[in-house]
PDB file of all heavy atoms in Angstrom:
ATOM      1  N   ARG A1106       7.269   9.930  -8.844  1.00  0.00           N
ATOM      2  CA  ARG A1106       7.279  10.990  -9.860  1.00  0.00           C
ATOM      3  C   ARG A1106       7.790  12.283  -9.229  1.00  0.00           C
ATOM      4  O   ARG A1106       8.535  13.018  -9.860  1.00  0.00           O
ATOM      5  CB  ARG A1106       5.881  11.191 -10.432  1.00  0.00           C
ATOM      6  CG  ARG A1106       5.754  12.355 -11.422  1.00  0.00           C
ATOM      7  CD  ARG A1106       4.422  12.323 -12.097  1.00  0.00           C
ATOM      8  NE  ARG A1106       4.134  13.515 -12.880  1.00  0.00           N
ATOM      9  CZ  ARG A1106       4.580  13.725 -14.113  1.00  0.00           C
ATOM     10  NH1 ARG A1106       5.349  12.839 -14.701  1.00  0.00           N
ATOM     11  NH2 ARG A1106       4.245  14.826 -14.774  1.00  0.00           N
ATOM     12  N   PHE A1109       7.009  16.424  -2.571  1.00  0.00           N
ATOM     13  CA  PHE A1109       6.746  17.837  -2.355  1.00  0.00           C
ATOM     14  C   PHE A1109       6.746  18.153  -0.868  1.00  0.00           C
ATOM     15  O   PHE A1109       6.186  17.407  -0.068  1.00  0.00           O
ATOM     16  CB  PHE A1109       5.377  18.207  -2.948  1.00  0.00           C
ATOM     17  CG  PHE A1109       5.214  17.802  -4.382  1.00  0.00           C
ATOM     18  CD1 PHE A1109       4.774  16.527  -4.712  1.00  0.00           C
ATOM     19  CD2 PHE A1109       5.504  18.690  -5.399  1.00  0.00           C
ATOM     20  CE1 PHE A1109       4.631  16.135  -6.032  1.00  0.00           C
ATOM     21  CE2 PHE A1109       5.364  18.309  -6.724  1.00  0.00           C
ATOM     22  CZ  PHE A1109       4.932  17.036  -7.046  1.00  0.00           C
ATOM     23  N   TYR A1111       5.557  21.153   1.884  1.00  0.00           N
ATOM     24  CA  TYR A1111       4.714  22.317   2.067  1.00  0.00           C
ATOM     25  C   TYR A1111       4.845  22.797   3.502  1.00  0.00           C
ATOM     26  O   TYR A1111       5.073  22.012   4.414  1.00  0.00           O
ATOM     27  CB  TYR A1111       3.236  21.981   1.822  1.00  0.00           C
ATOM     28  CG  TYR A1111       2.872  21.653   0.397  1.00  0.00           C
ATOM     29  CD1 TYR A1111       2.973  20.354  -0.083  1.00  0.00           C
ATOM     30  CD2 TYR A1111       2.395  22.641  -0.460  1.00  0.00           C
ATOM     31  CE1 TYR A1111       2.621  20.048  -1.387  1.00  0.00           C
ATOM     32  CE2 TYR A1111       2.034  22.339  -1.765  1.00  0.00           C
ATOM     33  CZ  TYR A1111       2.157  21.039  -2.217  1.00  0.00           C
ATOM     34  OH  TYR A1111       1.801  20.739  -3.511  1.00  0.00           O
ATOM     35  N   GLN A1113       2.449  24.752   6.377  1.00  0.00           N
ATOM     36  CA  GLN A1113       1.068  25.133   6.647  1.00  0.00           C
ATOM     37  C   GLN A1113       0.979  25.848   7.984  1.00  0.00           C
ATOM     38  O   GLN A1113       1.328  25.294   9.020  1.00  0.00           O
ATOM     39  CB  GLN A1113       0.134  23.915   6.643  1.00  0.00           C
ATOM     40  CG  GLN A1113      -1.331  24.291   6.782  1.00  0.00           C
ATOM     41  CD  GLN A1113      -2.274  23.116   6.687  1.00  0.00           C
ATOM     42  OE1 GLN A1113      -1.903  21.969   6.969  1.00  0.00           O
ATOM     43  NE2 GLN A1113      -3.511  23.363   6.285  1.00  0.00           N
ATOM     44  N   LYS A1117      -4.750  27.965   7.697  1.00  0.00           N
ATOM     45  CA  LYS A1117      -4.458  28.399   6.330  1.00  0.00           C
ATOM     46  C   LYS A1117      -4.163  27.207   5.431  1.00  0.00           C
ATOM     47  O   LYS A1117      -3.941  26.096   5.897  1.00  0.00           O
ATOM     48  CB  LYS A1117      -3.275  29.360   6.332  1.00  0.00           C
ATOM     49  CG  LYS A1117      -3.547  30.647   7.103  1.00  0.00           C
ATOM     50  CD  LYS A1117      -2.461  31.657   6.877  1.00  0.00           C
ATOM     51  CE  LYS A1117      -2.804  32.968   7.578  1.00  0.00           C
ATOM     52  NZ  LYS A1117      -1.774  34.006   7.363  1.00  0.00           N
ATOM     53  N   GLY A1118      -4.147  27.468   4.125  1.00  0.00           N
ATOM     54  CA  GLY A1118      -3.817  26.417   3.183  1.00  0.00           C
ATOM     55  C   GLY A1118      -2.319  26.196   3.105  1.00  0.00           C
ATOM     56  O   GLY A1118      -1.530  27.082   3.432  1.00  0.00           O
ATOM     57  N   PRO A1119      -1.892  25.001   2.704  1.00  0.00           N
ATOM     58  CA  PRO A1119      -0.461  24.718   2.569  1.00  0.00           C
ATOM     59  C   PRO A1119       0.200  25.626   1.540  1.00  0.00           C
ATOM     60  O   PRO A1119      -0.386  25.949   0.509  1.00  0.00           O
ATOM     61  CB  PRO A1119      -0.432  23.257   2.110  1.00  0.00           C
ATOM     62  CG  PRO A1119      -1.730  22.683   2.577  1.00  0.00           C
ATOM     63  CD  PRO A1119      -2.702  23.802   2.462  1.00  0.00           C
ATOM     64  N   PHE A1121       3.565  25.968  -0.858  1.00  0.00           N
ATOM     65  CA  PHE A1121       4.595  25.133  -1.482  1.00  0.00           C
ATOM     66  C   PHE A1121       6.004  25.601  -1.113  1.00  0.00           C
ATOM     67  O   PHE A1121       6.298  26.801  -1.110  1.00  0.00           O
ATOM     68  CB  PHE A1121       4.418  25.163  -2.998  1.00  0.00           C
ATOM     69  CG  PHE A1121       5.548  24.552  -3.759  1.00  0.00           C
ATOM     70  CD1 PHE A1121       5.722  23.177  -3.778  1.00  0.00           C
ATOM     71  CD2 PHE A1121       6.457  25.340  -4.452  1.00  0.00           C
ATOM     72  CE1 PHE A1121       6.763  22.597  -4.476  1.00  0.00           C
ATOM     73  CE2 PHE A1121       7.500  24.779  -5.163  1.00  0.00           C
ATOM     74  CZ  PHE A1121       7.659  23.399  -5.168  1.00  0.00           C
ATOM     75  N   GLN A1166       3.879  11.978  -5.234  1.00  0.00           N
ATOM     76  CA  GLN A1166       3.113  11.669  -6.440  1.00  0.00           C
ATOM     77  C   GLN A1166       3.757  10.447  -7.075  1.00  0.00           C
ATOM     78  O   GLN A1166       4.966  10.429  -7.330  1.00  0.00           O
ATOM     79  CB  GLN A1166       3.156  12.850  -7.405  1.00  0.00           C
ATOM     80  CG  GLN A1166       2.293  12.691  -8.638  1.00  0.00           C
ATOM     81  CD  GLN A1166       2.447  13.867  -9.599  1.00  0.00           C
ATOM     82  OE1 GLN A1166       3.501  14.478  -9.654  1.00  0.00           O
ATOM     83  NE2 GLN A1166       1.404  14.192 -10.337  1.00  0.00           N
ATOM     84  N   PHE A1171      -0.565   9.776 -11.955  1.00  0.00           N
ATOM     85  CA  PHE A1171      -0.231  11.187 -11.786  1.00  0.00           C
ATOM     86  C   PHE A1171      -1.324  11.962 -11.077  1.00  0.00           C
ATOM     87  O   PHE A1171      -1.111  13.067 -10.615  1.00  0.00           O
ATOM     88  CB  PHE A1171      -0.013  11.830 -13.162  1.00  0.00           C
ATOM     89  CG  PHE A1171       1.216  11.369 -13.876  1.00  0.00           C
ATOM     90  CD1 PHE A1171       2.056  10.415 -13.330  1.00  0.00           C
ATOM     91  CD2 PHE A1171       1.535  11.878 -15.120  1.00  0.00           C
ATOM     92  CE1 PHE A1171       3.185   9.987 -13.997  1.00  0.00           C
ATOM     93  CE2 PHE A1171       2.669  11.471 -15.803  1.00  0.00           C
ATOM     94  CZ  PHE A1171       3.498  10.519 -15.242  1.00  0.00           C
ATOM     95  N   ASN A1172      -2.522  11.377 -11.007  1.00  0.00           N
ATOM     96  CA  ASN A1172      -3.661  12.118 -10.482  1.00  0.00           C
ATOM     97  C   ASN A1172      -3.636  12.269  -8.969  1.00  0.00           C
ATOM     98  O   ASN A1172      -4.228  13.185  -8.431  1.00  0.00           O
ATOM     99  CB  ASN A1172      -4.965  11.419 -10.858  1.00  0.00           C
ATOM    100  CG  ASN A1172      -5.184  11.412 -12.355  1.00  0.00           C
ATOM    101  OD1 ASN A1172      -5.133  12.434 -12.993  1.00  0.00           O
ATOM    102  ND2 ASN A1172      -5.416  10.238 -12.895  1.00  0.00           N
ATOM    103  N   LYS A1173      -2.995  11.319  -8.294  1.00  0.00           N
ATOM    104  CA  LYS A1173      -3.110  11.299  -6.838  1.00  0.00           C
ATOM    105  C   LYS A1173      -1.825  11.711  -6.153  1.00  0.00           C
ATOM    106  O   LYS A1173      -0.733  11.392  -6.610  1.00  0.00           O
ATOM    107  CB  LYS A1173      -3.505   9.902  -6.359  1.00  0.00           C
ATOM    108  CG  LYS A1173      -4.934   9.531  -6.711  1.00  0.00           C
ATOM    109  CD  LYS A1173      -5.357   8.255  -6.013  1.00  0.00           C
ATOM    110  CE  LYS A1173      -5.504   8.445  -4.517  1.00  0.00           C
ATOM    111  NZ  LYS A1173      -6.034   7.250  -3.834  1.00  0.00           N
ATOM    112  N   PHE A1174      -2.018  12.428  -5.046  1.00  0.00           N
ATOM    113  CA  PHE A1174      -0.916  12.837  -4.200  1.00  0.00           C
ATOM    114  C   PHE A1174      -1.161  12.238  -2.813  1.00  0.00           C
ATOM    115  O   PHE A1174      -2.239  12.396  -2.252  1.00  0.00           O
ATOM    116  CB  PHE A1174      -0.844  14.364  -4.114  1.00  0.00           C
ATOM    117  CG  PHE A1174      -0.494  15.027  -5.406  1.00  0.00           C
ATOM    118  CD1 PHE A1174      -1.431  15.155  -6.426  1.00  0.00           C
ATOM    119  CD2 PHE A1174       0.779  15.532  -5.613  1.00  0.00           C
ATOM    120  CE1 PHE A1174      -1.095  15.754  -7.631  1.00  0.00           C
ATOM    121  CE2 PHE A1174       1.119  16.148  -6.803  1.00  0.00           C
ATOM    122  CZ  PHE A1174       0.185  16.260  -7.814  1.00  0.00           C
ATOM    123  N   PHE A1176      -0.361  12.253   1.065  1.00  0.00           N
ATOM    124  CA  PHE A1176       0.153  13.183   2.071  1.00  0.00           C
ATOM    125  C   PHE A1176       0.474  12.481   3.379  1.00  0.00           C
ATOM    126  O   PHE A1176      -0.249  11.579   3.818  1.00  0.00           O
ATOM    127  CB  PHE A1176      -0.888  14.273   2.352  1.00  0.00           C
ATOM    128  CG  PHE A1176      -0.943  15.341   1.306  1.00  0.00           C
ATOM    129  CD1 PHE A1176      -1.667  15.155   0.142  1.00  0.00           C
ATOM    130  CD2 PHE A1176      -0.260  16.531   1.483  1.00  0.00           C
ATOM    131  CE1 PHE A1176      -1.712  16.140  -0.828  1.00  0.00           C
ATOM    132  CE2 PHE A1176      -0.299  17.526   0.521  1.00  0.00           C
ATOM    133  CZ  PHE A1176      -1.025  17.322  -0.638  1.00  0.00           C
ATOM    134  N   GLY A1177       1.557  12.920   4.017  1.00  0.00           N
ATOM    135  CA  GLY A1177       1.812  12.527   5.388  1.00  0.00           C
ATOM    136  C   GLY A1177       0.981  13.385   6.326  1.00  0.00           C
ATOM    137  O   GLY A1177       0.338  14.349   5.903  1.00  0.00           O
ATOM    138  N   SER A1178       0.988  13.029   7.603  1.00  0.00           N
ATOM    139  CA  SER A1178       0.172  13.749   8.578  1.00  0.00           C
ATOM    140  C   SER A1178       0.872  15.004   9.116  1.00  0.00           C
ATOM    141  O   SER A1178       0.273  15.755   9.883  1.00  0.00           O
ATOM    142  CB  SER A1178      -0.222  12.830   9.727  1.00  0.00           C
ATOM    143  OG  SER A1178       0.924  12.258  10.309  1.00  0.00           O
TER     144      SER A1178
ATOM    145  N   TYR B1454      -8.747  19.838  -7.220  1.00  0.00           N
ATOM    146  CA  TYR B1454      -8.879  18.815  -6.190  1.00  0.00           C
ATOM    147  C   TYR B1454      -9.618  19.362  -4.975  1.00  0.00           C
ATOM    148  O   TYR B1454      -9.511  20.558  -4.665  1.00  0.00           O
ATOM    149  CB  TYR B1454      -7.492  18.357  -5.715  1.00  0.00           C
ATOM    150  CG  TYR B1454      -6.620  17.710  -6.761  1.00  0.00           C
ATOM    151  CD1 TYR B1454      -6.002  18.459  -7.751  1.00  0.00           C
ATOM    152  CD2 TYR B1454      -6.411  16.337  -6.749  1.00  0.00           C
ATOM    153  CE1 TYR B1454      -5.201  17.864  -8.699  1.00  0.00           C
ATOM    154  CE2 TYR B1454      -5.596  15.723  -7.690  1.00  0.00           C
ATOM    155  CZ  TYR B1454      -4.995  16.499  -8.658  1.00  0.00           C
ATOM    156  OH  TYR B1454      -4.201  15.900  -9.599  1.00  0.00           O
ATOM    157  N   GLN B1458      -9.145  17.870   5.741  1.00  0.00           N
ATOM    158  CA  GLN B1458      -8.074  17.777   6.717  1.00  0.00           C
ATOM    159  C   GLN B1458      -8.673  17.744   8.116  1.00  0.00           C
ATOM    160  O   GLN B1458      -9.414  18.646   8.503  1.00  0.00           O
ATOM    161  CB  GLN B1458      -7.112  18.964   6.585  1.00  0.00           C
ATOM    162  CG  GLN B1458      -5.870  18.846   7.446  1.00  0.00           C
ATOM    163  CD  GLN B1458      -4.871  19.967   7.204  1.00  0.00           C
ATOM    164  OE1 GLN B1458      -5.256  21.103   6.942  1.00  0.00           O
ATOM    165  NE2 GLN B1458      -3.571  19.660   7.279  1.00  0.00           N
ATOM    166  N   GLY B1461      -4.370  16.214  13.179  1.00  0.00           N
ATOM    167  CA  GLY B1461      -3.432  15.101  13.313  1.00  0.00           C
ATOM    168  C   GLY B1461      -3.425  14.133  12.157  1.00  0.00           C
ATOM    169  O   GLY B1461      -2.756  13.095  12.219  1.00  0.00           O
ATOM    170  N   GLY B1463      -3.281  13.456   7.745  1.00  0.00           N
ATOM    171  CA  GLY B1463      -2.888  14.019   6.469  1.00  0.00           C
ATOM    172  C   GLY B1463      -4.103  14.430   5.661  1.00  0.00           C
ATOM    173  O   GLY B1463      -5.244  14.158   6.030  1.00  0.00           O
ATOM    174  N   TYR B1469     -11.508  14.743  -7.491  1.00  0.00           N
ATOM    175  CA  TYR B1469     -10.636  15.528  -8.335  1.00  0.00           C
ATOM    176  C   TYR B1469     -11.192  15.582  -9.744  1.00  0.00           C
ATOM    177  O   TYR B1469     -12.000  14.731 -10.155  1.00  0.00           O
ATOM    178  CB  TYR B1469      -9.198  15.005  -8.313  1.00  0.00           C
ATOM    179  CG  TYR B1469      -8.991  13.640  -8.920  1.00  0.00           C
ATOM    180  CD1 TYR B1469      -8.602  13.485 -10.242  1.00  0.00           C
ATOM    181  CD2 TYR B1469      -9.159  12.491  -8.142  1.00  0.00           C
ATOM    182  CE1 TYR B1469      -8.389  12.229 -10.786  1.00  0.00           C
ATOM    183  CE2 TYR B1469      -8.949  11.239  -8.676  1.00  0.00           C
ATOM    184  CZ  TYR B1469      -8.567  11.103  -9.984  1.00  0.00           C
ATOM    185  OH  TYR B1469      -8.368   9.846 -10.530  1.00  0.00           O
ATOM    186  N   GLN B1471      -9.846  16.475 -13.815  1.00  0.00           N
ATOM    187  CA  GLN B1471      -8.732  16.791 -14.719  1.00  0.00           C
ATOM    188  C   GLN B1471      -9.157  17.734 -15.842  1.00  0.00           C
ATOM    189  O   GLN B1471      -8.318  18.366 -16.470  1.00  0.00           O
ATOM    190  CB  GLN B1471      -8.200  15.515 -15.357  1.00  0.00           C
ATOM    191  CG  GLN B1471      -7.485  14.593 -14.398  1.00  0.00           C
ATOM    192  CD  GLN B1471      -7.009  13.348 -15.124  1.00  0.00           C
ATOM    193  OE1 GLN B1471      -7.653  12.303 -15.075  1.00  0.00           O
ATOM    194  NE2 GLN B1471      -5.888  13.474 -15.819  1.00  0.00           N
ATOM    195  N   ASP B1480     -10.624   9.082  -2.223  1.00  0.00           N
ATOM    196  CA  ASP B1480     -10.675   8.029  -1.212  1.00  0.00           C
ATOM    197  C   ASP B1480     -11.872   8.123  -0.274  1.00  0.00           C
ATOM    198  O   ASP B1480     -12.270   7.135   0.329  1.00  0.00           O
ATOM    199  CB  ASP B1480      -9.387   8.056  -0.382  1.00  0.00           C
ATOM    200  CG  ASP B1480      -8.152   7.863  -1.244  1.00  0.00           C
ATOM    201  OD1 ASP B1480      -8.188   6.974  -2.127  1.00  0.00           O
ATOM    202  OD2 ASP B1480      -7.180   8.609  -1.062  1.00  0.00           O
ATOM    203  N   LEU B1518      -1.025  17.404 -16.140  1.00  0.00           N
ATOM    204  CA  LEU B1518      -0.228  16.235 -15.796  1.00  0.00           C
ATOM    205  C   LEU B1518       0.909  16.000 -16.784  1.00  0.00           C
ATOM    206  O   LEU B1518       1.800  15.213 -16.539  1.00  0.00           O
ATOM    207  CB  LEU B1518      -1.129  14.997 -15.721  1.00  0.00           C
ATOM    208  CG  LEU B1518      -2.215  15.104 -14.648  1.00  0.00           C
ATOM    209  CD1 LEU B1518      -3.130  13.887 -14.699  1.00  0.00           C
ATOM    210  CD2 LEU B1518      -1.598  15.233 -13.271  1.00  0.00           C
ATOM    211  N   GLY B1520       4.430  16.736 -18.629  1.00  0.00           N
ATOM    212  CA  GLY B1520       5.654  17.338 -18.111  1.00  0.00           C
ATOM    213  C   GLY B1520       5.693  17.193 -16.609  1.00  0.00           C
ATOM    214  O   GLY B1520       5.121  16.278 -16.061  1.00  0.00           O
ATOM    215  N   PRO B1522       7.388  16.823 -12.620  1.00  0.00           N
ATOM    216  CA  PRO B1522       6.202  16.927 -11.772  1.00  0.00           C
ATOM    217  C   PRO B1522       5.872  18.361 -11.390  1.00  0.00           C
ATOM    218  O   PRO B1522       6.753  19.192 -11.294  1.00  0.00           O
ATOM    219  CB  PRO B1522       6.599  16.116 -10.533  1.00  0.00           C
ATOM    220  CG  PRO B1522       8.069  16.247 -10.467  1.00  0.00           C
ATOM    221  CD  PRO B1522       8.551  16.271 -11.887  1.00  0.00           C
ATOM    222  N   HIS B1523       4.591  18.613 -11.204  1.00  0.00           N
ATOM    223  CA  HIS B1523       4.133  19.930 -10.820  1.00  0.00           C
ATOM    224  C   HIS B1523       3.565  19.896  -9.420  1.00  0.00           C
ATOM    225  O   HIS B1523       2.934  18.913  -9.032  1.00  0.00           O
ATOM    226  CB  HIS B1523       3.026  20.398 -11.766  1.00  0.00           C
ATOM    227  CG  HIS B1523       3.440  20.449 -13.196  1.00  0.00           C
ATOM    228  ND1 HIS B1523       4.348  21.365 -13.670  1.00  0.00           N
ATOM    229  CD2 HIS B1523       3.070  19.703 -14.263  1.00  0.00           C
ATOM    230  CE1 HIS B1523       4.513  21.170 -14.968  1.00  0.00           C
ATOM    231  NE2 HIS B1523       3.762  20.176 -15.355  1.00  0.00           N
ATOM    232  N   GLU B1524       3.773  20.987  -8.696  1.00  0.00           N
ATOM    233  CA  GLU B1524       3.202  21.048  -7.360  1.00  0.00           C
ATOM    234  C   GLU B1524       1.764  21.519  -7.439  1.00  0.00           C
ATOM    235  O   GLU B1524       1.355  22.208  -8.378  1.00  0.00           O
ATOM    236  CB  GLU B1524       4.008  22.002  -6.462  1.00  0.00           C
ATOM    237  CG  GLU B1524       3.889  23.473  -6.832  1.00  0.00           C
ATOM    238  CD  GLU B1524       4.868  23.909  -7.903  1.00  0.00           C
ATOM    239  OE1 GLU B1524       5.470  23.039  -8.566  1.00  0.00           O
ATOM    240  OE2 GLU B1524       5.009  25.132  -8.082  1.00  0.00           O
ATOM    241  N   GLN B1525       0.992  21.143  -6.419  1.00  0.00           N
ATOM    242  CA  GLN B1525      -0.368  21.640  -6.304  1.00  0.00           C
ATOM    243  C   GLN B1525      -0.347  23.015  -5.637  1.00  0.00           C
ATOM    244  O   GLN B1525       0.471  23.279  -4.759  1.00  0.00           O
ATOM    245  CB  GLN B1525      -1.211  20.688  -5.460  1.00  0.00           C
ATOM    246  CG  GLN B1525      -1.483  19.356  -6.126  1.00  0.00           C
ATOM    247  CD  GLN B1525      -2.291  18.442  -5.238  1.00  0.00           C
ATOM    248  OE1 GLN B1525      -1.965  18.199  -4.085  1.00  0.00           O
ATOM    249  NE2 GLN B1525      -3.372  17.908  -5.765  1.00  0.00           N
ATOM    250  N   PHE B1527      -2.689  25.536  -3.352  1.00  0.00           N
ATOM    251  CA  PHE B1527      -3.821  25.403  -2.440  1.00  0.00           C
ATOM    252  C   PHE B1527      -4.513  26.725  -2.175  1.00  0.00           C
ATOM    253  O   PHE B1527      -3.893  27.788  -2.157  1.00  0.00           O
ATOM    254  CB  PHE B1527      -3.363  24.819  -1.097  1.00  0.00           C
ATOM    255  CG  PHE B1527      -3.089  23.350  -1.152  1.00  0.00           C
ATOM    256  CD1 PHE B1527      -1.847  22.876  -1.543  1.00  0.00           C
ATOM    257  CD2 PHE B1527      -4.092  22.447  -0.831  1.00  0.00           C
ATOM    258  CE1 PHE B1527      -1.598  21.508  -1.605  1.00  0.00           C
ATOM    259  CE2 PHE B1527      -3.851  21.081  -0.896  1.00  0.00           C
ATOM    260  CZ  PHE B1527      -2.606  20.614  -1.281  1.00  0.00           C
ATOM    261  N   GLY B1528      -5.824  26.629  -1.952  1.00  0.00           N
ATOM    262  CA  GLY B1528      -6.588  27.771  -1.486  1.00  0.00           C
ATOM    263  C   GLY B1528      -6.439  27.946   0.011  1.00  0.00           C
ATOM    264  O   GLY B1528      -5.788  27.144   0.679  1.00  0.00           O
ATOM    265  N   PRO B1529      -7.087  28.976   0.580  1.00  0.00           N
ATOM    266  CA  PRO B1529      -6.960  29.271   2.011  1.00  0.00           C
ATOM    267  C   PRO B1529      -7.789  28.377   2.907  1.00  0.00           C
ATOM    268  O   PRO B1529      -7.610  28.388   4.128  1.00  0.00           O
ATOM    269  CB  PRO B1529      -7.431  30.726   2.109  1.00  0.00           C
ATOM    270  CG  PRO B1529      -8.356  30.886   0.962  1.00  0.00           C
ATOM    271  CD  PRO B1529      -7.823  30.029  -0.146  1.00  0.00           C
TER     272      PRO B1529
END
Side-chain angles (χ1 to χ4, degrees):
Chain A
R1106 175 170 170 82
F1109 307 86
Y1111 292 88
Q1113 186 176 25
K1117 297 190 176 181
F1121 170 73
Q1166 185 183 30
F1171 291 1
N1172 295 307
K1173 290 190 69 175
F1174 294 76
F1176 282 83
S1178 55
Chain B
Y1454 298 74
Q1458 188 175 35
Y1469 66 95
Q1471 291 179 262
D1480 301 316
L1518 298 176
H1523 302 291
E1524 69 274 14
Q1525 291 179 308
F1527 284 86

